[in-house]
């Protein structure tokens, strides 16, 4: 608190990220990082980009990176926006596209940065409750609004919406932007990118933090009609013309082009998710059906916060949210098979 703060700062509730702690032999399953590491081609490209060229500013239009994203999705450069993480892309999206006279619609349980951006940018929003199975009930969204944002697969539940339901939303709101946050889509979801050629109100946002295992590089992107992208560019160029450095762009381009590596590591994570889900169910946990690189789970007889604390004592970090309706759940990122094995062994000991 300071008398020098502007009024808006007093009213902010900043987002709290998962812990990034250092501990010996830590099994870190709390922030949905990818256990397999980035593509070796991305590492080589970044090493090659370190040199005298860094004395110059990076390309403010990010043309090379936009082209790599466009190649990956069969789009043009004008349909692509890139930013320093999908959090930054989301922030510009809230600022540029989601503030209207009618409220923004969003699920009550979803990525907790959304309400933070609403308070930062003064956006009125309406939280629509997930149904009793913790699914986004698309029928609730067929009502007048200024815009819609949905994470698909949703976080922290991991539950995915079928594309047909997203398409129905796009059709019933032709004059409102519909933003689909696909941070986890590569782990078994259906991307709405396939609908871009038919809907000028659709913006799809993705990140290199999860399936490309580059959370520390901070690269995200949006796909949409050139008019939506132009709005994002206006905000970005009123904020920071060079949000992505040269090393970052070189690594991101190589990672996007290494489709086989992403596919192979994502399939390994999906296989581990299937194994972990069955092990957890055998221990009596309810596990929501996940299409992400994490599971969301609760034990009918054990308190979620206590389970998280007991795992922490064994140097295993998982995420627990003290929020209404989900305070008995744990969100557990999918680690290597060895890490998943350690988690299961620890839970067996805790429940014994
Ligand atoms: C739903 C969702 N969207 C966006 C992000 C942000 O990802 P990043 O800022 O690393 O690109 C996250 C991060 O966990 C997320 O869960």
């Amino acid at each position: 608190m300071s008398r020098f703060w502007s009024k808006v700062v007093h009213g902010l509730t900043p987002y709290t990220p998962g812990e990034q702690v250092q501990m010996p032999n830590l099994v870190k399953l709390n922030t949905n990082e990818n256990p397999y590491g980035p593509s070796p081609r991305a590492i080589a490209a970044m090493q090659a980009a370190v040199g005298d060229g860094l004395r110059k500013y990076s390309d403010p239009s990010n043309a090379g990176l936009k082209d790599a994203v466009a190649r990956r999705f069969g789009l043009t450069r004008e349909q692509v926006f890139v930013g320093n993480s999908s959090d930054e892309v989301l922030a510009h999206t809230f600022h540029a596209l989601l503030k209207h006279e009618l409220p923004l619609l969003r699920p009550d349980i979803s990525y907790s940065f959304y309400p933070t951006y609403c308070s930062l940018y003064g956006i009125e929003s309406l939280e629509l409750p997930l149904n009793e199975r913790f699914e986004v009930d698309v029928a609730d969204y067929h009502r007048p609004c200024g815009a819609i944002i949905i994470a698909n697969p949703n976080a922290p539940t991991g539950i995915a919406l079928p594309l047909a339901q997203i398409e129905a939303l796009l059709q019933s709101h032709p004059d409102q932007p519909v933003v689909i946050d696909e941070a986890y889509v590569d782990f078994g979801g259906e991307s709405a990118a396939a609908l871009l050629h038919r809907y000028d109100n659709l913006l799809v946002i993705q990140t290199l933090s999860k399936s490309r295992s580059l959370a520390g590089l901070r690269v995200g992107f949006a796909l949409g009609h050139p008019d939506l992208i132009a709005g994002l560019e206006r905000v970005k160029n009123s904020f920071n013309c060079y949000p992505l450095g040269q090393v970052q762009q070189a690594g991101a381009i190589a990672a996007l082009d290494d489709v086989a590596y992403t596919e192979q590591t994502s399939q390994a994570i999906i296989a581990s998710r299937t194994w972990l889900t069955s092990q957890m169910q055998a221990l009596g946990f309810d596990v929501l059906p996940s299409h992400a690189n994490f599971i969301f789970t609760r034990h009918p007889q054990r308190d979620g916060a206590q389970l998280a604390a007991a795992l922490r004592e064994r140097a295993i970090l998982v995420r627990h949210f003290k929020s209404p309706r989900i305070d008995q759940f744990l969100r557990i990122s999918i680690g290597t098979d060895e890490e998943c094995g350690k988690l299961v062994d620890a839970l067996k000991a805790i429940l014994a």
Side-chain angles (χ1 to χ4, degrees):
M1 182 81 86
S2 160
R3 71 185 193 284
F4 301 115
W5 287 3
S6 59
K7 204 171 156 199
V8 67
V9 175
H10 285 280
L12 293 178
T13 311
Y15 175 76
T16 314
E19 293 176 90
Q20 293 294 345
V21 290
Q22 306 285 343
M23 266 190 223
N25 304 318
L26 178 67
V27 176
K28 190 171 177 304
L29 305 176
N30 66 330
T31 52
N32 299 341
E33 288 148 338
N34 187 318
Y36 291 113
S39 152
R41 281 166 54 184
I43 307 269
M46 288 186 274
Q47 284 165 339
V50 175
D52 180 63
L54 287 174
R55 70 192 164 76
K56 293 191 186 154
Y57 283 106
S58 53
D59 169 18
S61 73
N62 306 294
L65 178 53
K66 284 188 174 180
D67 288 347
V69 176
R71 267 198 300 284
R72 176 75 192 85
F73 291 91
L75 300 171
T76 63
R77 189 188 292 173
E78 291 68 36
Q79 293 171 288
V80 178
F81 178 79
V82 295
N84 187 305
S85 78
S86 67
D87 280 341
E88 187 186 87
V89 175
L90 281 164
H92 291 332
T93 299
F94 274 74
H95 208 174
L97 304 174
L98 303 187
K99 186 171 182 169
H100 299 281
E101 283 190 4
L102 288 173
L104 166 70
L105 303 182
R106 57 185 177 83
D108 63 339
I109 299 168
S110 192
Y111 187 34
S112 32
F113 233 131
Y114 302 159
T116 301
Y117 293 133
C118 287
S119 74
L120 178 61
Y121 296 119
I123 298 169
E124 194 200 329
S125 69
L126 193 61
E127 289 187 348
L128 300 177
L130 299 185
N131 69 20
E132 65 291 348
R133 290 183 302 283
F134 293 93
E135 297 158 344
V136 171
D137 194 339
V138 169
D140 291 347
Y141 290 72
H142 293 290
R143 61 168 84 191
C145 66
I148 295 173
I149 184 161
I150 291 175
N152 190 36
N154 197 13
T157 62
I159 295 177
L161 272 183
L163 214 47
Q165 295 192 20
I166 306 267
E167 182 155 19
L169 273 184
L170 290 160
Q171 283 170 351
S172 66
H173 294 90
D175 298 321
Q176 284 77 35
V178 175
V179 177
I180 308 297
D181 177 355
E182 295 187 347
Y184 301 102
V185 76
D186 294 327
F187 304 105
E190 288 178 282
S191 176
L195 304 175
L196 282 166
H197 61 289
R198 290 214 294 279
Y199 299 96
D200 65 357
N201 55 334
L202 168 63
L203 192 81
V204 175
I205 298 181
Q206 293 194 8
T207 174
L208 271 68
S209 298
K210 314 293 178 184
S211 62
R212 277 48 173 240
S213 196
L214 286 169
L217 196 65
R218 315 305 296 131
V219 180
F221 56 88
L223 313 170
H225 187 278
D227 292 348
L228 296 185
I229 301 299
L232 295 176
E233 291 290 342
R234 284 169 80 97
V235 169
K236 172 232 162 197
N237 289 324
S238 308
F239 174 79
N240 178 0
C241 287
Y242 310 100
L244 288 160
Q246 292 165 20
V247 178
Q248 217 177 353
Q249 295 194 56
I253 291 168
L256 283 161
D257 284 342
D258 199 347
V259 177
Y261 183 84
T262 304
E263 181 62 19
Q264 180 202 324
T265 46
S266 299
Q267 286 304 328
I269 288 168
I270 291 170
S272 305
R273 182 181 71 206
T274 306
W275 180 83
L276 182 60
T277 301
S278 64
Q279 295 291 310
M280 300 289 291
Q281 286 168 337
L283 291 175
F285 282 86
D286 300 326
V287 186
L288 300 189
S290 172
H291 284 82
N293 68 339
F294 57 84
I295 55 169
F296 203 48
T297 179
R298 69 178 158 194
H299 195 285
Q301 280 98 39
R302 296 300 184 111
D303 179 68
Q306 285 177 8
L307 280 175
L311 286 169
R312 197 191 162 88
E313 279 170 20
R314 292 165 169 80
I316 298 177
L317 287 192
V318 300
R319 189 97 194 249
H320 173 256
F321 298 90
K322 290 194 196 94
S323 314
R325 290 184 75 193
I326 57 169
D327 62 350
Q328 290 309 311
F329 280 85
L330 301 177
R331 193 196 67 190
I332 306 177
S333 310
I334 306 298
T336 59
D337 287 346
E338 191 193 347
E339 289 172 324
C340 292
K342 281 187 182 170
L343 170 78
V344 171
D345 289 346
L347 285 171
K348 280 182 187 159
I350 293 165
L351 295 175

